[in-house]
Each structure stands twice: as C-alpha cells, then as structure tokens.
Amino acid sequence: AELDKIMSNFYLNYAYSVNLSRAIPTLVDGLKPVHRRVLYGAYELGLAPASRLKKSAALIGHVLGKYHPHGDAAAYEAAIFMSQPWKNNLPLLYISCIMGNISGDAYAALRYTEAQLTHPGISGLRMSDHVAHEPNFDGTENIPTFIPYIFQNLIINGQTGIGCGITVNIPPHNVGEAIDATILSAKNPNATVDDILQVMPGPDFPTGGKITNGYAIRDAYETGVGIFGCECTYTINKNTIEITEIPFQTSLSNITKTLKDALKNGTISGIQKFQDLTDQSCTNNKVKYYIKVAAGVDPQVLMEDIMSNLDCLRTSVSWIFNAIHDNKLAFRVNLVRYFNELIKSQKQIILTKVY
C-alpha cells in the first residue's frame, strides 16, 4: 500500500509536469513551451523578417542550450510545423529550402534549411518585455510565460497535443473571422456562442475542404468538445474529376496510396488513372489532383463510392478545447470564455505598457 502511494505520487508529479511543461498549449498565445522557446530563440538571434536567414541548426542549438533541455528532433519538428502553410493559416516562422509540402514529402534535415520569423511571428515578441517571465531549466536565463500576440493564434492556427489523461485538438479558423469575433466580444462582454457564430461560422482549414455537419459546430463551441465531418472539394469535367481542396491533415501522397490499395484489393473500381499535378513548392497549399474515370462509369457515383468507402477524401476532425491558463489546466473551454480571457490578457498588457 505504501509503495502504491509512492508510485501514485510520482506519476501525478510526472503527469503534471508533462501537461503543463510540454504537451498542452497556453490559452492566450496558443503555443506549447517548445514552440514558444523556438520563437523566442529566433527573436534573440535577431531573425527578423527582413534579416538574413540563419541555419536552422544554429537556431535549434541556441534553443536547446538556453531553454529546451531535450532532443533536437522535437524542437526542429516544432519549427517546421510553424512554417508550413498547409497546416497554419498564419505561419509564425519561415523555413527555407525543403520543409515538406502538401503532397506529403519529408522536410530536409536542420543542417540544410535556414530560418527566420515571419511578420506575424515577430509581432508579439516585440511586446514580450511587458509580460511575466520565468526562469529557464538552470535558472540562468528568463523566458516569457506567453507571447502577447494580438491575433488569436490558438484558433487561427489551431493546435494538437497529447498529455497524461488529456488531449487537445483545435482546428484552424479564418484570420479575419477570428478578429471579428474578438472585436464583437470586446464590444459586447455578454456575447453568446450564437453571436460569435454570426461572424465566425466555423473552422477554416488551410487545405480547404468543407464541413459536412455544420449543425455540430455550435455544440462544439458551447461545450468545448465535438467532431466535424470534412470532405474534399471537387469539380467534374466530362470523365475527369479535379480535386481542388482536401480534408485537413490529409496529404496527397496518402490519397494516392489509399486509392492504389483500394484498386488493388477491389474496394473500389472505375478509375482509369489518377495524377497529382500540385505545385510541389513548400509554400503552396493549393491542390491539383485529377482522377480520370473509366468509360461507362458515372463520375459522381464514383466519388460518392470513394468518399463512402475510403478515409482519404472524407474524414473527421475533432474539437477538444483544453488548454493551460493561469498555470492550471482549463478543460473543455467554451468559446465565449476563450475570447473573454484573450481580451482580459490584452488589457493587462496595455496597462503594463502604459504604466
């Protein structure tokens, strides 16, 4: 019994540390500690948008040495994630060279790429002196507890995380709509979820696609948990289907592999060939994917068959709004509370700057 108590306490301390210090984003800036450390490290190195690019290896080495006492792979992956326009509506970092692409190609090693902050990425860092700081792992440096972005990073770029007994999945939203929702909430502190829905009707994915169960959005915003169906956008021209938008977090290489496997095992039929003509550059999030339909097959029926039987062109996206706020876990955050806390934080920053 004594051993059980000791082990239970050890695990609770470990779980608390993982959730607060690694896995879960902060409510007001939408960043996990590793993202914040990478951005702050880039700011310290002077990697402004107009500055000369610096090797990613130099940036990650700086971050590991001062703020992030873990492996370089996680820190570099965080940097890559913040730079990919098919995962973020407002990338905070720019990575040159090969940082992957929407087709699913891998990113290059950190010794080959170079990094700098984007204009949105540096905007909040310029105000970081006006927020509370905390010591780094050995007490020799201080780092902001959050980055005071004036835009709504947590819902504009979204976030995912898996902690101990808790997960996070917040899909991205349209920049302008998120700003409008904040203005609405600032002007009307009693605004409801229904009011917010008038200006921000739902998630807006960087890869496009459309939500198939819009009725679920209100409940998700109200309760902090939900699930949305998402499917591709396409047009039909005679016997050719052109896919122009794909479900969020789906890669074109996965679509190709799924279609190949389905044709091979007979799950679907009626496809003559398929071809990915998407621009392979790392800054592109636009899709050009073609499916040529076999003679005698109705393209519309074929697409319905594909989306009903395969999980590549019709998927689901969960909404689990958990976050860290005031150094505590905030579970199933209502969207009204999110905007109110964001506004409260900005007011405190302005007062700190003025006085």
Side-chain angles (χ1 to χ4, degrees):
E2 187 66 26
L3 180 60
D4 288 345
K5 184 177 180 180
I6 292 172
M7 295 303 294
S8 177
N9 288 335
F10 278 157
Y11 180 74
L12 286 173
N13 289 334
Y14 165 77
Y16 182 85
S17 176
V18 166
N19 290 339
L20 265 66
S21 303
R22 296 186 73 170
I24 309 301
T26 299
L27 189 73
V28 291
D29 69 0
L31 301 171
K32 297 179 188 178
V34 64
H35 300 115
R36 192 175 304 112
R37 292 163 185 169
V38 169
L39 292 169
Y40 191 67
Y43 184 63
E44 282 190 322
L45 291 175
L47 301 183
S51 70
R52 185 176 179 180
L53 291 159
K54 186 178 285 289
K55 281 288 187 181
S56 298
L59 169 60
I60 300 305
H62 176 82
V63 172
L64 297 186
K66 295 184 71 172
Y67 303 117
H68 195 68
H70 305 287
D72 62 344
Y76 184 49
E77 184 178 358
I80 288 289
F81 171 81
M82 290 188 289
S83 71
Q84 294 176 326
W86 60 95
K87 293 182 180 178
N88 299 273
N89 281 326
L90 209 59
L92 305 179
L93 205 63
Y94 171 72
I95 304 287
S96 70
C97 192
I98 304 170
M99 62 176 186
N101 56 39
I102 194 171
S103 290
D105 295 331
Y107 51 82
L110 75 171
R111 63 184 177 273
Y112 299 118
T113 63
E114 297 177 315
Q116 68 181 182
L117 292 160
T118 62
H119 287 285
I122 200 172
S123 62
L125 289 159
R126 290 180 171 136
M127 293 281 288
S128 59
D129 288 343
H130 302 289
V131 304
H133 284 56
E134 60 186 2
N136 69 339
F137 58 88
D138 63 1
T140 60
E141 302 284 345
N142 288 307
I143 188 169
T145 54
F146 68 95
I147 298 176
Y149 288 119
I150 61 171
F151 56 88
Q152 306 71 30
N153 184 54
L154 184 55
I155 61 169
I156 287 175
N157 285 328
Q159 188 61 268
T160 61
I162 301 175
C164 293
I166 180 173
T167 59
V168 177
N169 202 85
I170 302 168
H173 289 69
N174 181 274
V175 178
E177 291 174 358
I179 291 172
D180 288 343
T182 306
I183 294 171
L184 170 71
S185 300
K187 289 182 176 179
N188 179 13
N190 297 316
T192 65
V193 166
D194 290 319
D195 295 327
I196 292 171
L197 280 167
Q198 295 301 309
V199 295
M200 192 179 77
D204 186 8
F205 306 115
T207 55
K210 55 187 178 182
I211 292 176
T212 58
N213 58 334
Y215 58 85
I217 296 173
R218 188 196 179 282
D219 286 344
Y221 284 178
E222 186 75 56
T223 64
V225 63
I227 189 164
F228 311 130
C230 182
E231 67 181 29
C232 69
T233 300
Y234 63 93
T235 57
I236 296 174
N237 183 16
K238 296 182 180 179
N239 67 334
T240 301
I241 301 167
E242 181 185 358
I243 298 170
T244 54
E245 299 176 348
I246 58 175
F248 186 52
Q249 296 175 329
T250 299
S251 69
L252 293 170
S253 60
N254 178 62
I255 292 172
T256 297
K257 182 180 183 305
T258 303
L259 291 176
K260 281 183 179 179
D261 291 344
L263 287 171
K264 186 176 180 180
N265 60 33
T267 304
I268 59 170
S269 60
I271 295 178
Q272 184 175 332
K273 69 175 183 178
F274 40 83
Q275 192 173 16
D276 179 11
L277 297 180
T278 303
D279 179 0
Q280 300 298 306
S281 67
C282 58
T283 57
N284 176 57
N285 65 345
K286 305 300 181 184
V287 172
K288 283 187 178 181
Y289 195 95
Y290 296 91
I291 299 176
K292 189 168 184 180
V293 181
V297 176
D298 186 327
Q300 186 62 55
V301 173
L302 175 61
M303 278 301 290
E304 284 300 324
D305 191 28
I306 291 172
M307 290 196 286
S308 298
N309 294 293
L310 306 179
D311 60 357
C312 59
L313 297 178
R314 179 182 286 161
T315 63
S316 61
V317 179
S318 61
W319 175 275
I320 308 172
F321 204 134
N322 298 321
I324 304 295
H325 186 57
D326 289 339
N327 208 36
K328 294 180 290 187
L329 285 169
F331 294 97
R332 296 189 175 186
V333 177
N334 175 292
L335 207 59
V336 171
R337 179 189 173 188
Y338 168 71
F339 284 115
N340 287 339
E341 295 291 355
L342 206 65
I343 294 163
K344 179 181 175 182
S345 173
Q346 286 296 324
K347 286 180 178 178
Q348 290 173 341
I349 294 164
I350 293 169
L351 290 173
T352 301
K353 184 179 180 182
V354 171
Y355 297 105

